[in-house]
Amino acid sequence: MPETMIRLTDVNKWFGQFHVLRDINLDVAKGERIVICGPSGSGKSTLIRCINRLEAHQSGTITVDGVELSDNLKRIELIRRDVGMVFQHFNLFPHLTVLENLTLGPIWVLKQSKAQALATAMDYLERVRIPEQAHKYPGQLSGGQQQRVAIARSLCMKPKVMLFDEPTSALDPEMVKEVLEVMLELATTGMTMLCVTHEMGFARKAADRVVFMDNGQIVEQNTPDAFFDQPQHARTREFLSQIMH
Amino acid sequence: MDKAFNPSPLPPKVSVGVFAWLHRNLFSTPANTVLSLLLLWLALMGLPALFEWGWLNATFSAENAQTCRAAAGACWAFIAEKHRLILFGVYPYDEQWRPLIASLLLILLIYISCLRRFWRPALVWLWVGGLSLFAVLMWGGVLGLSYVENSRWGGLPLTLMLATFGLAFAFPLGVLLALGRRSHLPAIKAVCVVYIELIRGVPLISLLFMSSVMLPLFMPEGFNIDKLLRAQIAIIMFAAAYIAETVRGGLQAIPKGQYEGAESIGLGYWMTMRKIILPQALKVVIPPLVSIFISLFKDTSLVVVIGIFDLTQATKAALADAAWRGFSTEAYLFIAAIYFVFCYSISRYSRSIEQRLAHDQRV
């Protein structure tokens, strides 16, 4: 039985009257790679944003690496150190250089020395293949490069889990590939990953499991091959037919 | 033939020269032409007269006011006669080298603080040392300097002091109030909102009156805060409320994603504010902040209403001399020039800061 990294039990959340998450139960094993997909408004982004408490759930429990999320701010900050997040719109800090973006967390949160943080940062910039951009500002980079910096920024915190919230949907088509390549490479390192994405090629190549959400519920989950080739539910089939054209 | 594939076509020739420039900028449309001619006429009417008054017919040195009055032009001799009263108020005449050095010291400190290469923690100690020296020079009572009560301080050093301390304390207080107003904690938010709205709803003059007249009524018997300090506190409180609202505008301009980006790497509230949000928010509001600083500098002149001898009040005192009556134009032009030099310097400095910080706006 593999070790559980994330466990969601009967998680519910409302935005006002709108029931975004309905009785979500999901276990993610250590090193497991999960792709979450579903139509717009189905609650998939909200789901992963609850895991690092960018959104608070209203009932049920979420535990990350054995620690339960609650209103305790110190505990939330501790969990956030272990959970990296990559956003649709990168959310890099525009007033800091790429290197400063990468070393901010390690220096001020993990209390690393500046030299150590810089070494780690350069190492990850090499891995996402843009070491030459280290001293530029985010505004001077292309979208694909910015997203790779954002991935490197999360990795510099040495997280146990990486969350991806539609990492390629704000990118120009020709830049999607370079970001997916970095993510595929990360998938081979044994990192626990949860990706909200519509990149079905990525799901087939990298995911251990595909989770389909609709109306705030998990409708179906399966291995990529089974999911794409023999979808069980009518809603899944309808969704797949729409995105595959 | 293959025009579309011309590798680097040159831009079209731009006509240059005086006439082209004049035509494009001054006489491009009928309305523009009328305006240009009107302004030209105003300049022809006004400038020669001003030059005649201020220079050709002016008196630069005179034994007494009679010589001045005989001439048709400006009486700069009045400034020569009274400049020490205007600049230093009623500070003991023989000791006026002290406020002079103190003022220069304050200006030097401000100048140094504006230079980026001095932006390091040691600057704080420089200020502590500089301000101690300022206090020693102004008060005296040690090192063989005679003691001078602060009710006798006046003129430029007082104005500089009120403005510098006003800014130095109002700015951090204003930032805290702005953060407080956006706080999720209802008690903190309420306190900040009430403070900001109350102070903004009251003119500075009435705050100064309250600080000088009403505050002592509430103080216990025998407990007395110095009048100058009370005025200083009123100025700080007033400026802080305006700074807070301006900074809040900057905070609102920062997208939610910046907070989430900071939270996702585990930064706490104060770290997020210090490293991510405030640097960006303050940059956005540099122009309105500078306007506040400039008005703060000029608003210090309102302390005249409670009888503190700042630059403006000292000038009024100089004008009250019966032997030199009637030269208020010259006197007010003189202090206007002083105010202008300081305010314009602040304005220029903020322009240079904006340009230097513009790098990361290429998004």
Side-chain angles (χ1 to χ4, degrees), chain B residues 349-362:
Chain B
Y349 177 65
S350 86
R351 285 288 303 146
S352 75
I353 288 243
E354 275 176 59
Q355 278 161 6
R356 208 162 46 200
L357 294 178
H359 56 67
D360 56 301
Q361 265 174 353
R362 285 172 287 179

Side-chain angles (χ1 to χ4, degrees), chain A residues 158-172:
Chain A
K158 307 270 182 202
K160 294 173 182 160
V161 180
M162 284 286 284
L163 307 174
F164 293 84
D165 188 3
E166 307 206 27
T168 55
S169 48
L171 295 176
D172 289 333

Side-chain angles (χ1 to χ4, degrees), chain A residues 49 52 54-55 77 80-81 83-85 87 91-96 104-105 108-109 137 139-140 153 157, chain B residues 256-258 260-269 271 274-277 279-280 283 359-360 362-363:
Chain A
R49 287 163 61 86
N52 70 346
L54 288 181
E55 305 284 356
E77 277 167 26
R80 282 178 182 158
R81 286 180 199 188
V83 180
M85 178 135 188
F87 300 88
N91 296 355
L92 293 174
F93 309 128
H95 62 302
L96 302 176
L104 189 75
W108 294 101
V109 179
Y137 286 90
Q140 295 166 290
R153 178 176 72 182
M157 296 294 292
Chain B
K256 202 166 152 245
Q258 290 292 304
E260 293 183 350
E263 282 170 6
S264 77
I265 55 171
L267 286 179
Y269 175 81
M271 253 326 170
R274 204 181 113 196
K275 294 283 172 189
I276 309 297
I277 305 300
Q280 296 184 64
K283 200 180 81 183
H359 56 67
D360 56 301
R362 285 172 287 179
V363 179

Side-chain angles (χ1 to χ4, degrees), chain B residues 101-152:
Chain B
I101 295 180
S103 304
L104 292 177
L105 181 73
L106 216 47
I107 294 171
L108 182 73
L109 275 176
I110 295 168
Y111 178 73
I112 286 177
S113 314
C114 287
L115 300 176
R116 196 168 215 176
R117 62 171 174 276
F118 292 103
W119 290 0
R120 55 183 78 162
L123 193 61
V124 175
W125 296 111
L126 197 65
W127 271 95
V128 171
L131 292 179
S132 314
L133 196 56
F134 180 86
V136 167
L137 279 168
M138 293 300 285
W139 258 305
V142 287
L143 303 172
L145 298 172
S146 58
Y147 176 71
V148 179
E149 245 185 287
N150 71 9
S151 59
R152 299 195 66 182

